[in-house]
Structures are given as structure tokens and as C-alpha cells.
Amino acid sequence: MTAVRSTLPDDARKVACEALQDTLVDLLGLSLIGKQAHWNVVGPRFRSIHLQLDEVVTAARTFADTVAERSAALGVPPDGRPETVARDFTLPAPKEGWVRDEDAVRVMVESLQEAIGRLRERIEATETADPVTQDLLIAVTADLEKQRWMFDAENFPRES
């Protein structure tokens, strides 16, 4: 039984809500690793990276809310419980303890890159099933690509 009826056929709703749930886990996890790095970053670029990490966290949390509400609007309850995120989250994360500024940048570039790759797969999967969900995923991807670019630019020029 569902408390909210979807405007989508069941098979399209299933595709859209799986994409939304997977995205929700990625976004909640990104917000957590961003905060972990934010609290523990050290090094000469501390301040700029510390502030930049908060921008990622804010974006991830805002999009997580939008993604979860889209799932609810389609009649599927979103699952952002800590145990779900802990079980399903697989993006790269910083190690425990202090994180050198260059390591924080590296892990954020890697995490964002992987999240973007997954989002692009979900964009493709939702194209026919639910263009509204696809549009939301496109917006999330665009913002995460911007965040990834900003972190990647932190390490220019790269050492050979």
C-alpha cells in the first residue's frame, strides 16, 4: 500500500525511484565526507578548501532534500536513514584523522567524479521512464560537475 499515488505507471516509477534512491544515498554520503574533510583539513590552503567543502555540503544537502521529495511525490518513501547510507554508500572518502589539503582535494575530485558518472547512468535510465526525474538528475549533475571542476583546479599545475 502506498500513501501517495504516483502519476507514473508502475514500471516507470520503479526506474525513476531507484535512480532517486541511489542518488539520495550518494548525496547524503557526499555531504558527510565533505563535512569530515571540512573538520579535519590542514595545510597551507586550509581556509579556502575548508570553505569550499562547505559549499559542496550545502549543495549535496539541498539536492538530497529535492531528490527525496521527488521520490515521495512519486509514491515511494525515500530512505535516508544512517544505516541505509552506511550500507549503500561506496564513493571514496577521506581517511580518519587530519587530512592534508591536497588529500582533501584529491578525495573530493574522486568522489565527485564517481558520483557524476553514476548520475549520468541514471540520467540515461530515466530518459523515457520519467523526464521530470531526468531533469532533476541533470541539474544535480551540472552542479556537482561545477564543484568537481573547482576542486580539480585547486591542484593545477599538476606535478608529473
Side-chain angles (χ1 to χ4, degrees):
M1 180 185 95
T2 181
V4 177
R5 287 190 216 146
S6 176
T7 57
L8 294 177
D10 286 345
D11 56 337
R13 183 181 67 173
K14 182 179 186 307
V15 169
C17 289
E18 283 177 6
L20 290 165
Q21 178 60 39
D22 292 344
T23 301
L24 178 62
V25 168
D26 281 353
L27 290 169
L28 292 173
L30 276 172
S31 75
L32 293 172
I33 65 171
K35 269 303 182 188
Q36 182 67 22
H38 169 87
W39 295 321
N40 292 291
V41 67
V42 294
R45 296 180 295 164
F46 163 80
R47 181 154 173 75
S48 65
I49 293 171
H50 180 79
L51 295 173
Q52 192 174 352
L53 286 162
D54 261 349
E55 291 176 20
V56 172
V57 170
T58 298
R61 287 179 177 170
T62 300
F63 279 123
D65 188 54
T66 304
V67 163
E69 288 176 352
R70 176 69 185 152
S71 184
L74 294 177
V76 175
D79 188 355
R81 297 173 301 154
E83 58 268 27
T84 301
V85 175
R87 181 190 68 222
D88 297 343
F89 184 75
T90 60
L91 296 176
K95 297 196 179 343
E96 183 179 350
W98 302 117
V99 180
R100 293 284 312 166
D101 50 7
E102 65 267 11
D103 293 333
V105 168
R106 180 190 45 74
V107 78
M108 291 309 298
V109 169
E110 290 171 2
S111 295
L112 288 163
Q113 180 72 35
E114 195 166 322
I116 290 161
R118 293 177 189 186
L119 276 161
R120 288 190 171 279
E121 291 172 5
R122 296 174 197 141
I123 288 167
E124 189 174 323
T126 56
E127 180 178 14
T128 302
D130 183 21
V132 176
T133 294
Q134 182 193 43
D135 188 53
L136 172 58
L137 298 177
I138 290 169
V140 173
T141 303
D143 192 82
L144 294 186
E145 284 179 338
K146 181 179 107 179
Q147 297 293 340
R148 187 204 158 282
W149 157 61
M150 288 191 216
F151 276 108
D152 201 29
E154 286 280 346
N155 282 338
F156 185 83
R158 287 179 180 49
E159 294 180 20
S160 299

